[in-house]
Amino acid sequence: MAAPVVEQPTDWTEPGAHPVAPGVHRIPLGLPIPSLHAVNVYVIEDAEGLVVVDSGWAMPDTEASLRGALATLGHRLDDVAQFLVTHAHWDHYSQALALRESFGTRVRIGRGERPSIEAFDARRGLHPRQVELLRRCGADEVADEIAGRPVERSERDVPHTMPDAWLDDGERVALTGRGLDVFATPGHTRGHVVLRDAAARLLFAGDHILPHITPSIGLETEPEPKPLRSYLESLRLVRDMPDTVLLPAHGPVRPSVHTRIDELLEHHAERLDAAAAQVRAGRATAFEVATAMPWTRRRRSLGDLDAFSRMLAVLEIEAHLDVLADRGVLDAHEEGGVRRYAARG
């Protein structure tokens, strides 16, 4: 069984440093993304300096919030010895890079993020590979919207450089009072990692396991070919470990990782069944299937979503269709640059 959860605020986004276990505090930091509200970073007190899991989006307000929360614990920003980052999305990685410039703080991230970090170039647009994939999905209109979106100066200026060192699957990060085991959990991004403190029964889950929402799949500069297959395998990998407390990047702390993984696996099983049913009904492309399916807990139509959300939805459906093809449920072939699916048999 997982360890008991220290009482948390009713509103998980409430500012401050909230204890989750002896020597571990959760600090929510605001985001310029209304749908996500905030990102949790976790401060681990260690004799050789603070260790912070994830870092927030590099902005003056988030730096001030982190500084203020650390002050309530009797610490300063230059007390942070290292950042351990679960993946390279800006809300997790960019503030670590900015603080490294100011304080020389060591930054580490999963080795699998290297291709996307090296390939990122805001001059190509924020989602150049996704534009190509959308066209393969038969979603030219969505692709045009994403390609035509200007890159704001604030986005161009977000730091996105290499870390000081990589985190490797199977590695143990040895701290003075605890050890953190690194597990590669590709899917949300190809290099996503989780950090597990087995003795304290804690899982620093990043975006791999979120309590209220299902994470996007493969949204990165260089996505892997089959991100949903990797994500489902990664969920099962963690599910096979003894249960722990869930320390997510977005949302409240939860007492059981297993419970949430079971819900996520059930959700994706239902989406796989629904996507297969749409293909059997004659819809042949990921865009056609996505258009026929409901989205969000409010069961909205694809056309009611903003362009970014439509992009995520279409690419998520393509990932589901590819899993179905791998399983032999569907056949897939490309015709005129568009991938088309048909029910097998």
Side-chain angles (χ1 to χ4, degrees), residues 181-193:
D181 295 308
V182 179
F183 293 95
T185 51
H188 179 59
T189 65
R190 65 193 299 164
H192 193 290
V193 298

Side-chain angles (χ1 to χ4, degrees), residues 284-296:
T285 67
F287 178 68
E288 290 172 357
V289 172
T291 300
M293 291 179 64
W295 295 96
T296 78

Side-chain angles (χ1 to χ4, degrees), residues 70-85:
L70 290 177
T72 67
L73 301 176
H75 294 293
R76 305 181 308 182
L77 285 173
D78 57 2
D79 291 331
V80 179
Q82 62 177 322
F83 285 98
L84 304 176
V85 183

Side-chain angles (χ1 to χ4, degrees), residues 173-228:
V173 180
L175 306 181
T176 304
R178 70 181 75 230
L180 300 175
D181 295 308
V182 179
F183 293 95
T185 51
H188 179 59
T189 65
R190 65 193 299 164
H192 193 290
V193 298
V194 299
L195 303 166
R196 190 170 187 272
D197 183 339
R201 291 187 286 174
L202 302 173
L203 184 76
F204 299 90
D207 283 0
H208 181 53
I209 305 162
L210 300 174
H212 289 156
I213 58 176
T214 57
S216 61
I217 302 298
L219 179 62
E220 54 196 321
T221 310
E222 291 293 330
E224 61 174 303
K226 301 290 179 69
L228 182 61

Side-chain angles (χ1 to χ4, degrees), residues 1-344:
M1 293 189 56
V5 177
V6 176
E7 185 175 353
Q8 299 289 301
T10 302
D11 178 2
W12 71 271
T13 67
E14 181 180 317
H18 309 291
V20 295
V24 182
H25 288 78
R26 179 183 64 85
I27 298 176
L29 300 174
L31 292 174
I33 309 172
S35 60
L36 283 181
H37 307 297
V39 60
N40 291 320
V41 306
Y42 294 91
V43 177
I44 302 170
E45 295 178 287
D46 187 72
E48 297 183 1
L50 300 179
V51 176
V52 180
V53 178
D54 289 332
S55 69
W57 192 301
M59 300 185 297
D61 287 351
T62 54
E63 181 177 325
S65 296
L66 181 58
R67 179 186 294 108
L70 290 177
T72 67
L73 301 176
H75 294 293
R76 305 181 308 182
L77 285 173
D78 57 2
D79 291 331
V80 179
Q82 62 177 322
F83 285 98
L84 304 176
V85 183
T86 60
H87 62 293
H89 285 165
W90 290 349
D91 53 328
H92 297 256
Y93 188 41
S94 62
Q95 185 156 252
L97 298 175
L99 293 176
R100 180 177 67 181
E101 294 179 7
S102 299
F103 302 106
T105 314
R106 181 174 169 83
V107 178
R108 301 185 68 194
I109 194 169
R111 187 177 295 274
E113 296 294 71
R114 184 169 191 160
S116 286
I117 294 172
E118 289 182 332
F120 179 76
D121 183 350
R123 293 171 298 182
R124 298 173 57 212
L126 291 183
H127 307 294
R129 179 61 177 144
Q130 283 67 37
V131 170
E132 298 171 12
L133 295 174
L134 286 167
R135 298 198 189 285
R136 190 177 70 184
C137 293
D140 282 340
E141 184 176 326
V142 183
D144 290 343
E145 287 186 80
I146 297 300
R149 180 187 180 278
V151 179
E152 304 293 339
R153 180 178 178 82
S154 60
E155 295 169 329
R156 292 198 305 270
D157 292 344
V158 170
H160 202 82
T161 53
M162 300 296 279
D164 297 290
W166 303 107
L167 293 168
D168 287 310
D169 183 38
E171 175 184 352
R172 185 173 179 83
V173 180
L175 306 181
T176 304
R178 70 181 75 230
L180 300 175
D181 295 308
V182 179
F183 293 95
T185 51
H188 179 59
T189 65
R190 65 193 299 164
H192 193 290
V193 298
V194 299
L195 303 166
R196 190 170 187 272
D197 183 339
R201 291 187 286 174
L202 302 173
L203 184 76
F204 299 90
D207 283 0
H208 181 53
I209 305 162
L210 300 174
H212 289 156
I213 58 176
T214 57
S216 61
I217 302 298
L219 179 62
E220 54 196 321
T221 310
E222 291 293 330
E224 61 174 303
K226 301 290 179 69
L228 182 61
R229 180 176 64 186
S230 294
Y231 181 64
L232 296 176
E233 291 173 353
S234 298
L235 285 178
R236 295 186 184 104
L237 170 76
V238 179
R239 182 62 174 83
D240 287 341
M241 301 174 190
D243 203 6
T244 58
V245 169
L246 172 61
L247 302 181
H250 307 284
V253 174
R254 287 290 183 249
S256 171
V257 166
H258 285 181
T259 297
R260 183 54 181 155
I261 289 178
D262 290 344
E263 293 170 351
L264 289 167
L265 289 172
E266 181 180 2
H267 165 79
H268 282 290
E270 291 172 352
R271 296 298 276 182
L272 286 164
D273 288 345
Q278 293 297 337
V279 174
R280 293 189 192 100
R283 295 171 179 89
T285 67
F287 178 68
E288 290 172 357
V289 172
T291 300
M293 291 179 64
W295 295 96
T296 78
R297 284 175 288 183
R298 298 180 181 178
R299 300 185 68 79
R300 299 167 67 188
S301 69
L302 186 72
D304 289 336
L305 305 179
D306 61 80
F308 180 77
S309 298
R310 289 200 298 279
M311 174 185 74
L312 293 181
V314 172
L315 296 179
E316 177 185 314
I317 289 300
E318 183 188 41
H320 282 80
L321 295 174
D322 283 342
V323 166
L324 290 166
D326 282 349
R327 293 179 180 179
V329 177
L330 302 179
D331 287 317
H333 71 281
E334 290 203 14
E335 182 181 313
V338 176
R339 183 173 291 174
R340 307 182 72 82
Y341 301 85
R344 182 169 296 183

